[in-house]
Amino acid sequence: MTSSYQIDPVCGMTVSTENPKGGSSTFEGKTYYFCSPKCKAKFDNNPSFYLQPKPKEVEPLNVEYTCPMHPEIRQMGPGSCPICGMALEPVTMILDHAEDTAEYVDMKKRFWISTSLCIPLLFITMGGRHLFESELLHSFFNYAELALATPVVLWGGWPFFERFLQSLKNKSPNMFTLIGLGVGVAYVFSVIALFFSDIFPGQIGLYFEPAAVIITLVLLGQVLELKARSQTGDAIKALLGLSPKTARRIKADHSEEEVPLEEIQVGDLIRVRPGEKIPVDGIVQSGTSSVDESMVTGESVPVEKSLGAKVVGATMNGTGSLVLKAEKVGRDTLLSQIIQMVAEAQRSRAPIQKLADQVSGYFVPFVVLTALLTAVAWSIWGPEPRWTFAIVNSVAVLIIACPCALGLATPMSIMVATGRAAKMGVLFRDAEAIELLRKVNVLIVDKTGTLTEGKPRLITVKSFNDITEENLLQWTASVERQSEHPLAEAIVKGAHERNIELKAVESFSSITGKGATATLLGFPVAVGNKSLMDDLGVSLADAEPEADLLRKQGQTVMFVSLDNKLCGFIGVADPIKKTTVEAISELKKSGLRIVMVTGDNARTAQAVSAKVNVDEVVADVLPHQKVEIVKKYQSQGFTVAMAGDGINDAPALAQAQVGIAMGTGTDVAMKSAGVTLVKGDLQGIVRAHELSLKTIANIKQNLFFAFIYNSLGIPVAAGLLYPFTGLLLNPMFAAAAMSLSSVSVIGNALRLRKTALK
């Protein structure tokens, strides 16, 4: 569907320009569309009033909508799902696009009007007619029931009948199929019984009251459901509201101007004053301050920012003043990516939902057949008036068996869980990642940037053969300046801190998993591990004993050769994150086996392992070997999660059942993973794993309640208890139970918003 949609200038509702129910009007050369003739009349009477203070631009709502239960259904503009009949929701929320509450407002209006008509209807049917002995008044009350029930059924219930007809047209039976059949049968039967009572033997009752009350109760259920469903998107709404609307841009003449955020371009200089929100992702050019990044990391402790530090848009600046250089704007900012990831995860389908889908596919035809058999059984073997019992019980079966609670069980929990996770700095790519994470029993973690801070520091410089440490560091840093590896960055930074001037190099070459080579002042220089030195035929006999001592201290040692002769080595240490030890302890308590993989030497890896207490260490691993390690554990029957942050981790992240990317790492790693930790902290895995367990438990509770409810409700509604207890289920109580079951499922899902996590 590609229909264009615009805003009704009178009431603000969305209107199709191809089929505006209220028509259109042209004013000052522009065409405006209306949802009803009433709105059009108001506009035509005084168009200037609705277009003040300036003519209102009617922008097309080029927003794609989808069904939360059937994400394959998509269309431009609002509507209802042709499969399940649920209201479609926008695929992407936009900051200046107000929440579409049209359906909620409409359902609420229908509910209150229907309720006001049902009150006198219930008075008549529940004893009011017996206050009068006049036969004429009794006849009048029959027609009064018709007059009161008809608006409720035909107007109040019209949205349900539309979806009922759509389900028949699309050959996709759903809850509205059962509602339409149940209410339609009760209402039509009552009309026939009122005007053509002679065709039925004996005295036949009228069922205007159940038909109207069922519609009213279903309307109540829809109102409560729509209200509750809107709360599942609170996380995205909160994230959308975080971004500031303007930024203070510094112009070329050093003057400042406040401009809309949309005008900020990459490279612009922006001033952020104390207490203001940071408008875009950027790099600090001057100033120092503490920044509250809790909106993306879930951590309340402010982070100190100074020259060269990266900042995230929508985080809150503290007491200092900062000048930033815009690095990412618009949809490229971290906040925009978080919102997109959360929205996509909320629309995805968990594997566990397949069970509900399969049941629902057979359930509605089964219910219709059960209702027909119920009607036939009561009309043949039931007591008089048989037709009365047949209609009442078959309608009760149709109404109580509506599988709306079954359909809502999974998507509501997923929507709430992904929103809750986002507030903690944990981003699930899809619902499948939530379900799979709880099954993980082996967690493979990369050392650098995952267990450690990923910000190594130069610790040791050891030279041989009369070469000064200054020269050794100069040669090493000159080569490593060409590399993007974190260890290379640490060496270059260490050289700058010691005021060592770097030299230009030629023929630079990076050797994956081993090191780098280049030509400096006409001589070949190599910086790397033992494997690289062995390839070059460089002897390490004089250096290995001392290098081993450094490795035992947790330092990574890189050897340096000049003209294929060893001239020294460099020791770099990467501090372990403060939360690593506690996080690993929590994960092990949850039954996970923790395996550390690293390209480091075995001694260095064992030194780190002893500090963090992992179960197993695999050292001297080349990037392509990480995939093989993941496959090895998978072949042994384990469900594997892989956590990493670098480009070289991406293949292993994709191979694992659950890839976990540290948000402090590369975009490639994040796109390869099912889970992204915005802060890049292992505590995020603890929270994600616990939330996964609680989410699936919540879904199972919902499915259990839905299955039990329908399993017990249908036999009671069909009247199986009547021969033993005389108990029959009134269709009105069936409607109330059906509506409340949906609301209870949503209420249970909403509990995930406040469930306690470590």
Side-chain angles (χ1 to χ4, degrees):
M1 298 178 66
T2 58
S3 299
S4 178
Y5 293 84
Q6 296 187 5
I7 296 295
D8 185 322
V10 177
C11 67
M13 291 186 65
T14 304
V15 184
S16 167
T17 60
E18 293 186 358
N19 185 28
K21 295 181 180 180
S24 62
S25 293
T26 301
F27 180 73
E28 294 184 350
K30 295 183 180 179
T31 302
Y32 299 90
Y33 299 88
F34 306 94
C35 67
S36 67
K38 185 177 180 180
C39 284
K40 182 179 185 303
K42 288 183 178 180
F43 180 86
D44 291 342
N45 185 51
N46 189 3
S48 299
F49 173 80
Y50 296 102
L51 301 177
Q52 292 297 329
K54 62 179 181 179
K56 185 175 181 179
E57 295 292 337
V58 183
E59 296 290 345
L61 285 181
N62 294 319
V63 178
E64 192 174 25
Y65 281 69
T66 186
C67 174
M69 289 201 295
H70 301 92
E72 69 274 14
I73 301 298
R74 294 197 173 205
Q75 70 174 46
M76 298 304 294
S80 58
C81 175
I83 298 176
C84 66
M86 287 182 64
L88 301 181
E89 297 178 350
V91 171
T92 304
M93 292 188 181
I94 305 172
L95 274 171
D96 54 0
H97 180 221
E99 182 183 1
D100 185 3
T101 59
E103 186 184 20
Y104 172 72
V105 172
D106 179 60
M107 288 292 180
K108 190 162 68 170
K109 180 173 70 174
R110 292 176 190 269
F111 166 70
W112 285 115
I113 293 176
S114 297
T115 299
S116 65
L117 293 171
C118 280
I119 291 173
L121 180 59
L122 286 169
F123 171 76
I124 293 172
T125 58
M126 299 183 72
R129 65 165 62 240
H130 300 299
L131 297 176
F132 306 92
E133 297 181 359
S134 171
E135 190 67 30
L136 181 62
L137 282 176
H138 283 191
S139 178
F140 166 77
F141 282 134
N142 289 340
Y143 289 98
E145 287 186 42
L146 172 65
L148 291 168
T150 298
V152 176
V153 173
L154 299 185
W155 176 77
W158 182 245
F160 308 143
F161 286 113
E162 280 188 320
R163 296 173 188 181
F164 162 65
L165 295 173
Q166 189 178 43
S167 72
L168 298 181
K169 178 181 177 182
N170 295 320
K171 298 179 181 179
S172 179
N174 53 50
M175 62 173 284
F176 296 104
T177 310
L178 303 181
I179 293 172
L181 281 174
V183 174
V185 167
Y187 179 78
V188 171
F189 175 82
S190 299
V191 170
I192 295 174
L194 177 61
F195 290 103
F196 308 100
S197 58
D198 294 341
I199 65 175
F200 295 102
Q203 187 171 354
I204 299 299
L206 301 179
Y207 298 100
F208 293 119
E209 169 208 13
V213 173
I214 286 170
I215 288 294
T216 304
L217 289 171
V218 175
L219 284 169
L220 173 61
Q222 289 289 294
V223 169
L224 295 175
E225 180 184 320
L226 289 168
K227 185 69 175 177
R229 277 172 54 190
S230 70
Q231 296 178 37
T232 61
D234 283 351
I236 292 183
K237 294 171 196 171
L239 290 171
L240 286 168
L242 290 172
S243 182
K245 303 295 188 295
T246 61
R248 186 171 293 275
R249 183 168 58 191
I250 301 176
K251 298 193 290 187
D253 60 359
H254 302 293
S255 63
E256 299 176 8
E257 60 177 346
E258 191 165 351
V259 298
L261 195 60
E262 296 77 23
E263 294 184 15
I264 298 296
Q265 303 292 322
V266 174
D268 284 350
L269 292 179
I270 301 168
R271 181 175 299 281
V272 183
R273 296 178 295 188
E276 290 184 338
K277 287 183 178 179
I278 294 172
V280 296
D281 294 2
I283 300 175
V284 176
Q285 302 298 297
S286 67
T288 58
S289 184
S290 59
V291 176
D292 180 359
E293 296 184 334
S294 59
M295 52 76 64
V296 292
T297 66
E299 299 294 334
S300 58
V301 180
V303 180
E304 294 297 322
K305 301 291 182 181
S306 57
L307 178 65
K310 291 188 176 183
V311 293
V312 178
T315 54
M316 182 66 74
N317 185 28
T319 57
S321 179
L322 298 174
V323 174
L324 317 175
K325 182 178 182 181
E327 188 180 32
K328 293 181 179 180
V329 300
R331 293 181 178 273
D332 294 328
T333 63
L334 179 61
L335 177 63
S336 295
Q337 292 180 42
I338 290 174
I339 292 171
Q340 188 63 27
M341 287 184 71
V342 174
E344 289 178 357
Q346 289 186 340
R347 294 194 305 271
S348 63
R349 295 159 68 83
I352 196 173
Q353 190 172 339
K354 293 178 181 178
L355 174 62
D357 292 342
Q358 291 171 352
V359 171
S360 295
Y362 296 102
F363 191 69
V364 174
F366 166 76
V367 170
V368 173
L369 178 61
T370 302
L372 288 174
L373 292 175
T374 299
V376 171
W378 279 96
S379 64
I380 296 175
W381 296 295
E384 293 294 345
R386 292 176 179 174
W387 279 101
T388 296
F389 286 111
I391 293 298
V392 168
N393 292 316
S394 60
V395 168
V397 168
L398 290 170
I399 298 302
I400 201 169
C402 286
C404 45
L406 194 60
L408 291 169
T410 299
M412 291 300 106
S413 296
I414 294 298
M415 291 178 73
V416 176
T418 50
R420 172 74 190 278
K423 290 182 178 179
M424 300 187 303
V426 178
L427 305 178
F428 288 102
R429 185 176 64 188
D430 51 34
E432 185 175 8
I434 298 178
E435 183 171 345
L436 285 176
L437 186 57
R438 74 184 179 93
K439 300 178 181 178
V440 168
N441 43 29
V442 169
L443 173 63
I444 299 175
V445 292
D446 182 47
K447 178 177 75 69
T448 305
T450 303
L451 299 179
T452 63
E453 292 181 358
K455 298 177 181 178
R457 296 195 300 268
L458 177 64
I459 304 296
T460 304
V461 179
K462 176 66 177 179
S463 61
F464 298 112
N465 303 326
D466 298 326
I467 296 173
T468 66
E469 291 183 356
E470 182 176 336
N471 283 338
L472 178 67
L473 183 56
Q474 181 186 52
W475 300 340
T476 306
S478 297
V479 174
E480 295 288 26
R481 181 169 57 173
Q482 314 300 316
S483 174
E484 295 181 353
H485 196 282
L487 298 181
E489 185 179 344
I491 294 171
V492 174
K493 185 177 180 180
H496 286 318
E497 290 173 349
R498 302 184 189 192
N499 297 317
I500 295 176
E501 182 181 354
L502 303 187
K503 301 291 185 179
V505 300
E506 299 175 348
S507 306
F508 174 82
S509 176
S510 177
I511 304 171
T512 303
K514 296 183 179 182
T517 61
T519 301
L520 176 65
L521 302 176
F523 294 96
V525 178
V527 181
N529 56 21
K530 183 177 184 301
S531 178
L532 177 61
M533 295 298 121
D534 289 342
D535 291 345
L536 297 175
V538 177
S539 173
L540 302 178
D542 295 336
E544 276 291 3
E546 193 170 350
D548 273 346
L549 292 176
L550 297 181
R551 292 181 184 124
K552 290 178 181 179
Q553 298 171 13
Q555 293 188 39
T556 299
V557 176
M558 288 167 285
F559 299 100
V560 184
S561 70
L562 177 67
D563 198 17
N564 291 337
K565 295 179 181 178
L566 181 68
C567 55
F569 58 78
I570 301 290
V572 176
D574 188 4
I576 295 170
K577 292 177 181 177
K578 295 179 181 179
T579 58
T580 294
V581 175
E582 182 182 354
I584 288 178
S585 175
E586 292 289 347
L587 290 168
K588 291 174 71 173
K589 287 179 183 177
S590 298
L592 275 70
R593 179 178 180 81
I594 313 298
V595 180
M596 183 183 81
V597 296
T598 178
D600 264 344
N601 179 279
R603 290 187 180 275
T604 302
Q606 289 294 342
V608 174
S609 171
K611 294 178 181 179
V612 299
N613 195 28
V614 297
D615 295 300
E616 187 177 342
V617 177
V618 184
D620 294 312
V621 175
L622 296 176
H624 70 273
Q625 293 175 324
K626 292 181 181 180
V627 176
E628 300 305 318
I629 294 171
V630 173
K631 289 181 178 178
K632 183 189 78 171
Y633 283 100
Q634 289 175 331
S635 67
Q636 295 173 4
F638 291 104
T639 301
V640 179
M642 167 74 191
D645 71 335
I647 293 176
N648 57 12
D649 295 323
L653 293 175
Q655 173 63 36
Q657 277 96 340
V658 181
I660 303 173
M662 314 309 262
T664 51
T666 65
D667 290 342
V668 175
M670 292 171 66
K671 291 177 181 178
S672 303
V675 181
T676 297
L677 308 179
V678 176
K679 188 182 178 183
D681 190 322
L682 280 185
Q683 280 290 356
I685 300 181
V686 176
R687 295 173 185 147
H689 184 255
E690 187 178 6
L691 184 61
S692 170
L693 291 170
K694 292 189 175 182
T695 300
I696 300 305
N698 188 271
I699 291 173
K700 288 182 176 179
Q701 291 166 6
N702 288 343
L703 290 174
F704 174 79
F705 291 142
F707 278 126
I708 290 297
Y709 163 80
N710 285 313
S711 299
L712 297 179
I714 292 176
V716 175
L720 291 184
L721 297 181
Y722 182 78
F724 311 102
T725 64
L727 176 65
L728 287 176
L729 184 65
N730 189 298
M732 293 187 296
F733 293 112
M738 181 269 292
S739 297
L740 290 175
S741 69
S742 299
V743 176
S744 65
V745 163
I746 297 175
N748 189 49
L750 289 174
R751 288 192 309 108
L752 287 170
R753 295 192 304 173
K754 297 182 180 180
T755 187
L757 297 174
K758 295 174 184 176

